[in-house]
Amino acid sequence: MATLSDIGVSALINILTAFAFLLAFAVLRIQPVNDRVYLPKWYINGGRSSPRSGGNFVAKFVNLDFKTYLTFLNWMPQALKMSESELINHAGLDSAIFLRIYSLGCFLSYGFKIFVPITVVALFILIPVNVSSGTLFFLRKELVVSDIDKLSISNVPPVQFFVHIGLEYLFTIWICYMLYKDYDNVATMRLRFLASQRRRAEQFTVVVRNVPQISGHSVSDSLDQFFKTNHPDTYLCHQAVYNANKFAKLVRKRDRLQNWLDYNQLKFERHSEKRPTKKTGFLGLWGKRVDSIDFYKQQIKEFDKNMALERQKVLKDTKSILPVAFVSFKSRWGAAVCAQTQQSKNPTLWLTNWAPEPRDIYWQNLAIPFLSLTIRKLIISLSVFALVFFYMIPITFVQSLANLEGLERVAPFLRPVIELTLYYENIITIIAGLELLILFDQRIYTSFLPGLALKILLYILPTILMIMSKIEGHIALSTLERRASAKYYYFMLVNVFLGSIVIPRTIGVSIPMKATFFITYIMVDGWAGIAGEILRLKPLVIFHLKNMFMVKSERDREQAMDPGSVDYPETLPSLQLYFLLGIVYAVVTPILLPFILNFFAFAYLVYRHQIINVYNQQYESGAAFWPHVHSRIIASLVISQLLLLGLLNTKEAANSTPLLAILPILTLSFNQYCKHRFEPAFRRYPLEEAMKKDIMDQTTEPDVNLTTFLADAYLHPIFRSFEEEELEEVRVDKVRVDKNQSYGDNAQSQTSDDHSSPSPPHHPTTSAPQDVYHHGFPPQYAYNFSSPTHYGYHYEAEPGNSRD
């Protein structure tokens, strides 16, 4: 069993590792050659075009200003400068609320939250009570204990449990109070955020699934007739959805050809004295040598002909039109009524819901038949259940590494290996004669390797769970990530936590004794792991490899630089595991709390920096994940109360259990109240708010033409690569647009005097207005406090706090 000195060794290893990562980050991030790796968000927003404006050749790659090397921690205060309202305008509400979860666990930026008061009370009250009892000295010989266990509830006689029961009530009340306060704040922030948004396509659009097949009518005709009949005053238009998955593959192949053409044209511009050539054989290794530019132009021309044939096949084949569509309305109020009501007497037909924003749609899953979704979800549920229990075998083995004595007792065949290890480490110690070689003795196994091994086992799991979520058939990326996050949370709850404390026979001793394992895991994952997040070693290597071997044009460089979004499916479950550990062990083994607190503070700083400078959120859900976060923290409370009940029963303190029996009931009642009070703000859009926004639009922009504005908002992205006349074939059905009608965007209404329909959406450029919304592409957030904000979001600070 790991001792205090073992924990000290693990802490030293992880602190040194984290410091090494931070030092490497400090050096790498100021090198001009790495600028696109550590500041990609500025390049995407147009706030940065190059790392340096001048200097010699060496200065383009290496930072020669040695004074900047002395301020390697200045990123921490810089990460805290941006207020929450500025952060929302810069990165969106999802990112701001994600950071708020970390602040809920610690104290940075928002005042005292959950674990700071709990840590102070537990350390100054529970630790003295636990240490003064000495019960562990009378346990049976076969139970292995350590100094850590003498600081836990295992060392307390039944007569003194009233202190722990009282503090369990106190901690529950405090946590529920903070959860209620934050749920209220987040719900208010969400409604204010939605109200502050400019006109966006998803505000007027619902997704309709399971459209019935009517003999003699196309899907488009059925949609048009149904909504004109049932929503005559508010229905505007609809966009049919095509099964274009095969066509999408052709588009990707054409893009690769275009990249090669761009590369060769750029190469010719730089060296105009010689045109680039290539061999036409396999991988360019043999065959006839031809002009590269002419070759790829001809390839693209022929490929376009094949794509045109395939496109016509998709558009003219009635089987390619799916029984799903995006239906738009003349007002937000009309969309809200349709999205939140039952459309047919048959509840399985004409199913409506709010449409995700265009960049949030996972187009491949729109082709999945609706009737197969239930079967898919059942199969995936069984698969997840099997996966959870399959992983329990290696994880249980990894957790046994935290106790070599217990491992030897459970697996006697490993005794020769353990004895051989101890024998050689003693020889090394004798030969070296140095106390520093303590790092090579069994403490390295009991204090560091278990947490590292568990981290490695869990590395590939999020990818597997995301694939499972995609198979389930969800049509929004945000929903996919929330479902993958839920699966990962249940996995970690069963395998990482419950599996290690419920399986042992002596639960009254096993719960506190597993604290040593979780302390090592927190240090490996929460200290060194978070420092590794800011180092971005993997993206750094991948970027330079791509830049060296694969980048052929500026578009390729932008793709190589793409930082992606915050990995919610992995970070949120891990974050909720830390809440679970902190809440459970607050009363059982309070010495774990400082490690939890350090994790929340450090992770808050790191992710704040990453969100400001690195990650570019792929979608904006308006903090739709918050109800899940709240419910899982409530689940952590209930689990802690039930485990404490079980612990008291096994320690012959059954008379005390009635005092705790009512606490889970009260906690669940509180959760139900919060669910009814706040969750509707995350599930529905109030008609009052919708009407208010509609009236405001009618007052400020009475001449906006919504038909043109919504014409191709939900057009499949692959169709955007063609000319305007080709797009007309797949634009909104049943709509004719007058060429002189004006249409609105996010900032203002515009008039199309020269074209019969709006031009196809294009990639945003640095010169684009800051608050213009481009269908299918992320809104541009500018990190400029003096310029107009993207959302126009204003957030009133809470009393006593300066940032939120």
Side-chain angles (χ1 to χ4, degrees):
M1 179 64 66
T3 64
L4 282 175
S5 59
D6 297 333
I7 298 299
V9 169
S10 181
L12 178 62
I13 294 173
N14 285 284
I15 289 173
L16 290 176
T17 303
F19 183 78
F21 285 168
L22 292 177
L23 194 60
F25 165 70
V27 175
L28 292 173
R29 77 184 180 97
I30 60 177
Q31 307 307 318
V33 71
N34 298 328
D35 209 50
R36 291 177 180 268
V37 178
Y38 294 107
L39 295 171
K41 192 173 182 69
W42 300 106
Y43 285 89
I44 294 172
N45 288 347
R48 196 176 183 90
S49 58
S50 63
R52 297 182 173 269
S53 57
N56 56 33
F57 178 78
V58 177
K60 294 180 179 180
F61 301 94
V62 181
N63 184 2
L64 301 178
D65 185 2
F66 295 101
K67 292 182 180 179
T68 58
Y69 289 88
L70 302 177
T71 58
F72 72 98
L73 290 179
N74 65 345
W75 63 270
M76 291 186 178
Q78 289 176 1
L80 295 173
K81 285 183 180 179
M82 188 182 290
S83 68
E84 188 173 65
S85 58
E86 292 166 333
L87 185 65
I88 293 172
N89 293 321
H90 175 63
L93 186 64
D94 280 343
S95 298
I97 299 304
F98 172 73
L99 289 174
R100 197 178 181 95
I101 304 173
Y102 285 96
S103 71
L104 185 63
C106 66
F107 57 91
L108 288 174
S109 180
Y110 299 101
F112 289 90
K113 291 283 184 170
I114 287 181
F115 286 119
V116 173
I118 289 178
T119 301
V120 172
V121 172
L123 292 182
F124 283 96
I125 295 180
L126 284 181
I127 293 292
V129 172
N130 295 342
V131 172
S132 62
S133 300
T135 302
L136 284 177
F137 292 108
F138 305 101
L139 288 175
R140 298 191 302 272
K141 296 288 186 181
E142 63 268 20
L143 288 174
V144 182
V145 298
S146 70
D147 295 335
I148 295 291
D149 303 311
K150 296 172 185 177
L151 303 176
S152 71
I153 198 174
S154 297
N155 202 32
V156 178
V159 70
Q160 295 183 5
F161 281 156
F162 70 91
V163 178
H164 300 77
I165 295 174
L167 287 182
E168 181 71 15
Y169 268 92
L170 179 63
F171 293 164
T172 298
I173 292 172
W174 171 250
I175 293 171
C176 289
Y177 169 73
M178 294 309 303
L179 286 176
Y180 179 87
K181 186 178 178 182
D182 259 50
Y183 213 154
D184 188 16
N185 288 335
V186 173
T188 302
M189 291 169 66
R190 172 180 166 84
L191 292 176
R192 187 180 293 123
F193 176 81
L194 296 177
S196 67
Q197 287 181 315
R198 301 287 187 175
R199 184 180 294 107
R200 295 166 66 95
E202 65 270 17
Q203 298 170 352
F204 300 87
T205 307
V206 301
V207 58
V208 184
R209 305 193 73 175
N210 213 21
V211 177
Q213 296 286 344
I214 301 177
S215 179
H217 292 76
S218 66
V219 173
S220 294
D221 291 337
S222 299
L223 283 162
D224 196 53
Q225 181 179 352
F226 180 86
F227 284 97
K228 279 185 176 179
T229 302
N230 297 284
H231 299 268
D233 299 325
T234 57
Y235 170 64
L236 182 64
C237 57
H238 70 268
Q239 175 65 64
V241 177
Y242 297 86
N243 185 357
N245 290 344
K246 181 179 178 180
F247 185 59
K249 295 179 182 179
L250 298 177
V251 172
R252 288 193 290 270
K253 292 180 180 179
R254 186 192 186 280
D255 286 342
R256 288 195 289 269
L257 292 174
Q258 185 65 48
N259 287 340
W260 280 110
L261 176 60
D262 293 343
Y263 166 72
N264 284 281
Q265 289 177 333
L266 184 62
K267 184 178 180 180
F268 180 62
E269 289 175 4
R270 293 175 178 175
H271 306 283
S272 57
E273 69 279 0
K274 182 180 179 181
R275 288 179 68 87
T277 61
K278 73 178 299 293
K279 293 182 178 180
T280 57
F282 178 71
L283 295 178
L285 299 177
W286 59 74
K288 181 181 178 181
R289 184 170 293 276
V290 296
D291 184 284
S292 296
I293 296 177
D294 293 338
F295 174 79
Y296 285 112
K297 283 184 177 179
Q298 183 63 28
Q299 288 283 310
I300 291 174
K301 184 177 180 180
E302 294 177 0
F303 211 82
D304 284 344
K305 293 180 180 178
N306 296 331
M307 290 177 61
L309 295 176
E310 179 64 27
R311 184 175 67 253
Q312 291 299 324
K313 180 180 177 182
V314 170
L315 297 177
K316 294 181 179 180
D317 186 2
T318 57
K319 296 181 180 179
S320 297
I321 302 179
L322 302 173
V324 57
F326 295 99
V327 179
S328 298
F329 293 82
K330 299 176 183 177
S331 64
R332 298 176 182 85
W333 185 90
V337 170
C338 180
Q340 297 165 181
T341 56
Q342 181 175 318
Q343 302 302 309
S344 171
K345 61 182 179 181
N346 185 343
T348 64
L349 300 177
W350 300 102
L351 302 176
T352 57
N353 205 341
W354 282 107
E357 61 171 316
R359 60 196 172 120
D360 188 22
I361 296 175
Y362 188 68
W363 292 94
Q364 291 89 324
N365 280 359
L366 285 172
I368 298 176
F370 182 80
L371 295 178
S372 69
L373 294 180
T374 303
I375 299 175
R376 286 169 171 262
K377 291 176 182 178
L378 176 61
I379 294 174
I380 293 301
S381 298
L382 295 176
S383 301
V384 171
F385 181 82
L387 181 66
V388 167
F389 285 93
F390 167 77
Y391 254 84
M392 188 174 291
I393 299 172
I395 286 181
T396 303
F397 174 77
V398 165
Q399 290 174 335
S400 68
L401 293 176
N403 180 359
L404 284 181
E405 297 88 346
L407 175 61
E408 184 177 349
R409 186 164 54 247
V410 173
F413 61 89
L414 293 177
R415 184 176 298 132
V417 179
I418 297 172
E419 292 177 351
L420 187 63
T421 302
L422 297 176
Y423 172 74
Y424 279 110
E425 71 188 22
N426 289 333
I427 293 179
I428 294 174
T429 304
I430 293 172
I431 294 176
L434 297 174
E435 289 296 328
L436 289 177
L437 288 177
I438 193 174
L439 295 176
F440 293 96
D441 73 6
Q442 61 177 328
R443 291 170 185 170
I444 197 74
Y445 303 104
T446 61
S447 61
F448 178 71
L449 289 183
L452 179 61
L454 179 60
K455 182 69 176 174
I456 294 173
L457 277 175
L458 298 177
Y459 182 75
I460 63 171
L461 189 62
T463 302
I464 297 174
L465 297 179
M466 175 56 77
I467 294 173
M468 288 183 168
S469 297
K470 290 179 178 178
I471 294 174
E472 283 183 319
H474 304 290
I475 65 171
L477 294 172
S478 55
T479 305
L480 285 173
E481 293 195 346
R482 288 198 297 272
R483 294 304 304 163
S485 175
K487 294 178 180 67
Y488 195 29
Y489 170 76
Y490 296 135
F491 175 89
M492 299 188 76
L493 175 65
V494 173
N495 278 291
V496 180
F497 183 73
L498 293 179
S500 64
I501 63 176
V502 175
I503 293 176
R505 290 173 296 176
T506 314
I507 191 172
V509 180
S510 68
I511 296 176
M513 285 186 176
K514 283 297 179 180
T516 55
F517 169 79
F518 289 123
I519 288 175
T520 62
Y521 178 75
I522 291 168
M523 288 187 288
V524 171
D525 181 69
W527 296 5
I530 293 297
E533 158 67 28
I534 200 171
L535 178 59
R536 287 177 58 78
L537 185 59
K538 179 181 175 181
L540 177 69
V541 173
I542 292 176
F543 171 78
H544 286 300
L545 288 176
K546 287 183 175 180
N547 198 38
M548 187 179 301
F549 298 108
M550 300 177 64
V551 169
K552 301 178 288 293
S553 63
E554 189 62 29
R555 181 170 58 178
D556 287 344
R557 183 171 289 107
E558 291 177 0
Q559 292 175 353
M561 178 190 68
D562 182 18
S565 307
V566 177
D567 190 7
Y568 290 141
E570 182 175 1
T571 53
L572 283 178
S574 299
L575 183 54
Q576 289 150 7
L577 176 65
Y578 285 106
F579 273 104
L580 176 64
L581 294 177
I583 292 172
V584 168
Y585 281 97
V587 172
V588 175
T589 310
I591 195 64
L592 181 139
L593 289 174
F595 298 91
I596 290 282
L597 205 57
N598 286 335
F599 159 76
F600 278 113
F602 186 38
Y604 176 81
L605 283 171
V606 167
Y607 276 106
R608 212 173 202 276
H609 172 274
Q610 299 295 81
I611 284 172
I612 292 174
N613 298 292
V614 178
Y615 290 123
N616 185 47
Q617 196 60 29
Q618 187 175 1
Y619 60 82
E620 176 60 58
S621 70
F625 55 80
W626 183 262
H628 303 282
V629 174
H630 173 89
S631 62
R632 286 165 196 163
I633 297 177
I634 290 292
S636 300
L637 268 176
V638 175
I639 290 171
S640 71
Q641 295 156 4
L642 295 178
L643 289 177
L644 186 58
L645 273 170
L647 189 148
L648 295 180
N649 278 324
T650 59
K651 291 179 70 65
E652 300 178 356
N655 293 333
S656 303
T657 55
L659 298 175
L660 274 176
I662 194 175
L663 197 53
I665 300 174
L666 295 176
T667 304
L668 292 174
S669 299
F670 166 78
N671 182 53
Q672 283 298 111
Y673 172 77
C674 289
K675 185 174 182 178
H676 290 298
R677 171 65 178 83
F678 300 117
E679 192 169 323
F682 296 84
R683 300 288 179 260
R684 301 181 181 88
Y685 188 48
L687 295 180
E688 178 185 19
E689 294 293 320
M691 182 61 73
K692 187 184 302 183
K693 286 286 291 182
D694 289 335
I695 293 174
M696 183 182 300
D697 278 359
Q698 292 171 5
T699 303
T700 57
E701 299 174 286
D703 298 327
V704 168
N705 188 328
L706 281 177
T707 301
T708 312
F709 172 63
L710 298 170
D712 59 357
Y714 286 93
L715 184 65
H716 198 296
I718 63 170
F719 290 116
R720 300 180 186 278
S721 59
F722 303 104
E723 298 298 329
E724 185 66 22
E725 60 271 13
E726 294 172 329
L727 278 171
E728 288 300 327
E729 299 181 65
V730 291
R731 282 190 185 279
V732 174
D733 296 287
K734 305 299 180 182
V735 170
R736 298 297 299 270
V737 181
D738 190 347
K739 69 177 183 179
N740 290 322
Q741 288 180 323
S742 63
Y743 70 99
D745 60 8
N746 280 343
Q748 59 186 358
S749 61
Q750 301 175 1
T751 304
S752 178
D753 296 322
D754 302 322
H755 304 284
S756 61
S757 57
S759 60
H762 57 277
H763 289 276
T765 61
T766 55
S767 61
Q770 178 186 339
D771 52 359
V772 171
Y773 178 72
H774 300 273
H775 296 308
F777 300 99
Q780 299 299 290
Y781 309 99
Y783 188 23
N784 185 351
F785 298 157
S786 61
S787 64
T789 58
H790 175 73
Y791 291 111
Y793 181 87
H794 301 286
Y795 180 47
E796 299 175 1
E798 296 176 12
N801 295 325
S802 60
R803 294 195 185 278
D804 75 331

